[in-house]
Amino acid sequence: MIACSIARGASRRICVHLARSSKATPNFLARPLSSTALCANKKHDPKPDPNEAATTNAPSGALGDHEGKFARTDKTVQIHYPSDREMPRQPVVQGRGGMHFKRTLASFSLENKVSMVTGGARGLGLVMAQGLVASGSDLAIVDLNKAEAEEAAAKLIEQFGKENPGIEKMPNVTAHYADVANPVSVNEALADVLAKHTKIDHLVTSAGFTENFDAIHYPFERMQKLWGVNVDGTYLFATGVAKHLMERKAPGSMVMIGSMSGSIVNVPQPQAPYNAAKAAVRHLASSLAVEWAGHDIRVNCISPGYMLTALTRKILDENPQLRDKWISLIPVGKMGTPEDLMGAVTFLLSDASKYITGADLRVDGGYTLT
């Protein structure tokens, strides 16, 4: 109390001095100093601030063990992905391409073009590849599993024939092997594609994978592999195709498949290396878009949200609580399907987007907006 009295006395003397000084300086506005902050004793405050009491520093705050719970990763969430041989197959979907009677812009057509899709034997890559074939493009499927790529190519041709009975010219769909993180293997794959198609106009880099483990316990060699496939593979194929286009002096377009995880942090599953890798893919697309703009090569990125691929369905069947958590965070209230990417990838590769480069198109049901 003595300290408070001294402080108040000093404050009054300062204010009197300032008030007298203000007479000589009309534009100066004197304001008394407050002693409240110096003397307030929060222990005896009869009305504690509820906003200060509420904290995300569980468990000491007002909201108990729920504080921050739904905005954090949970290291107990560990998703073990099946081996390559046990990986569920992505079915070829019911397409709507080919001969139809709905009017649309001719600029969306990929007629007389050759598109290459890495990781195109399964998952999102396979369905996007089907969308390109339906839009008129010839196709080269590049995958680590060539046998599965060959099977996928046969199914795409079969499905296209069913949807376009009596068509005179079938699309040329081929399968090729590549370890996307290996420069030698990438160059061999590019040479193989050119031997079968003579040119490459479009590239979709869909090869990639994720793993869900907390960062501290994530083995370094596995992180290197993840980065190798997601980042190195994207870079190697992009630069290889760009070199081919420059040598031809031909325009081209590329779509790099990123993820909403490159812009936000997913919860509750921990996946820091994957998130960082997809952020790298997104910015790589922007950087190459600027670097190659003078060569008439466009580079864009698609960032999907949660998509119901065959693999995702298997994981969520085994972890229904994870499914409910994910859906609760999506504004549209449901997960996407691989078919939702068909129009997006066709748009960004085609002349319908000829003035768009360096863009990141998020196909996530609004997830990243909240």
Side-chain angles (χ1 to χ4, degrees):
M1 293 300 294
I2 294 174
C4 290
S5 298
I6 294 173
R8 282 194 294 269
S11 174
R12 282 194 293 269
R13 285 193 293 274
I14 292 172
C15 292
V16 169
H17 174 72
L18 293 176
R20 290 173 178 172
S21 300
S22 65
K23 294 179 180 179
T25 311
N27 293 328
F28 180 83
L29 297 178
R31 181 179 179 181
L33 298 180
S34 172
S35 60
T36 304
L38 294 172
C39 304
N41 189 339
K42 290 189 177 182
K43 291 183 179 180
H44 300 290
D45 189 347
K47 296 181 180 180
D49 187 343
N51 294 316
E52 290 185 6
T55 173
T56 58
N57 187 21
S60 61
L63 302 179
D65 64 355
H66 289 286
E67 295 165 355
K69 179 178 180 180
F70 299 113
R72 293 176 179 163
T73 57
D74 181 354
K75 67 180 181 180
T76 65
V77 178
Q78 294 187 357
I79 300 173
H80 296 270
Y81 287 80
S83 65
D84 190 70
R85 286 181 296 178
E86 298 172 335
M87 193 72 70
R89 299 294 180 89
Q90 177 70 38
V92 172
V93 300
Q94 176 65 43
R96 295 171 180 82
M99 302 297 292
H100 57 84
F101 299 98
K102 291 184 179 179
R103 296 173 181 170
T104 188
L105 290 172
S107 57
F108 282 94
S109 174
L110 298 177
E111 295 283 347
N112 302 315
K113 302 294 184 181
V114 177
S115 301
M116 181 167 63
V117 179
T118 67
R122 62 169 67 130
L124 300 180
L126 174 59
V127 178
M128 286 188 288
Q130 186 177 357
L132 303 184
V133 171
S135 300
S137 180
D138 286 339
L139 175 69
I141 296 175
V142 178
D143 204 275
L144 185 64
N145 190 325
K146 187 177 180 182
E148 194 170 342
E150 291 171 342
E151 182 181 338
K155 287 182 177 179
L156 289 184
I157 294 173
E158 179 185 5
Q159 182 66 24
F160 187 87
K162 289 179 180 178
E163 295 172 2
N164 301 274
I167 192 168
E168 295 181 2
K169 182 183 177 182
M170 294 293 289
N172 182 17
V173 182
T174 58
H176 311 267
Y177 165 83
D179 175 355
V180 300
N182 184 314
V184 175
S185 181
V186 169
N187 288 334
E188 290 175 348
L190 289 169
D192 192 35
V193 171
L194 290 173
K196 300 236 178 105
H197 292 273
T198 72
K199 67 171 185 173
I200 302 170
D201 299 296
H202 305 307
L203 170 68
V204 179
T205 58
S206 186
F209 71 95
T210 183
E211 291 185 304
N212 301 118
F213 292 96
D214 65 290
I216 291 176
H217 298 101
Y218 194 66
F220 181 69
E221 63 275 9
R222 286 170 67 171
M223 185 184 74
Q224 285 183 305
K225 181 180 179 181
L226 183 145
W227 270 74
V229 173
N230 287 283
V231 183
D232 296 347
T234 299
Y235 178 81
L236 290 172
F237 269 97
T239 52
V241 171
K243 182 180 178 182
H244 162 71
L245 290 168
M246 291 176 190
E247 289 173 349
R248 281 174 54 203
K249 295 183 179 179
S253 56
M254 305 181 190
V255 172
M256 297 178 177
I257 305 305
S259 171
M260 68 176 184
S261 305
S263 302
I264 52 92
V265 177
N266 302 67
V267 290
Q269 72 277 17
Q271 52 185 47
Y274 176 79
N275 295 349
K278 287 304 186 180
V281 168
R282 176 169 55 87
H283 200 57
L284 178 63
S286 300
S287 301
L288 295 180
V290 173
E291 188 169 331
W292 297 339
H295 297 278
D296 204 8
I297 299 173
R298 298 186 296 109
V299 187
N300 290 291
C301 181
I302 289 179
S303 292
Y306 290 122
M307 295 286 168
L308 284 169
T309 62
L311 175 59
T312 306
R313 290 178 186 276
K314 173 179 170 57
I315 292 171
L316 295 183
D317 285 344
E318 298 169 355
N319 302 273
Q321 75 287 350
L322 190 61
R323 176 202 62 211
D324 296 342
K325 170 64 176 177
W326 287 358
I327 293 175
S328 72
L329 296 171
I330 304 173
V332 301
K334 62 180 181 179
M335 294 175 63
T337 63
E339 296 95 306
D340 293 327
L341 297 176
M342 282 180 159
V345 71
T346 301
F347 167 66
L348 288 177
L349 289 182
S350 72
D351 286 342
S353 62
K354 64 182 179 181
Y355 198 60
I356 298 175
T357 193
D360 178 29
L361 179 55
R362 299 180 189 176
V363 187
D364 63 358
Y367 189 104
T368 54
L369 300 177
T370 60

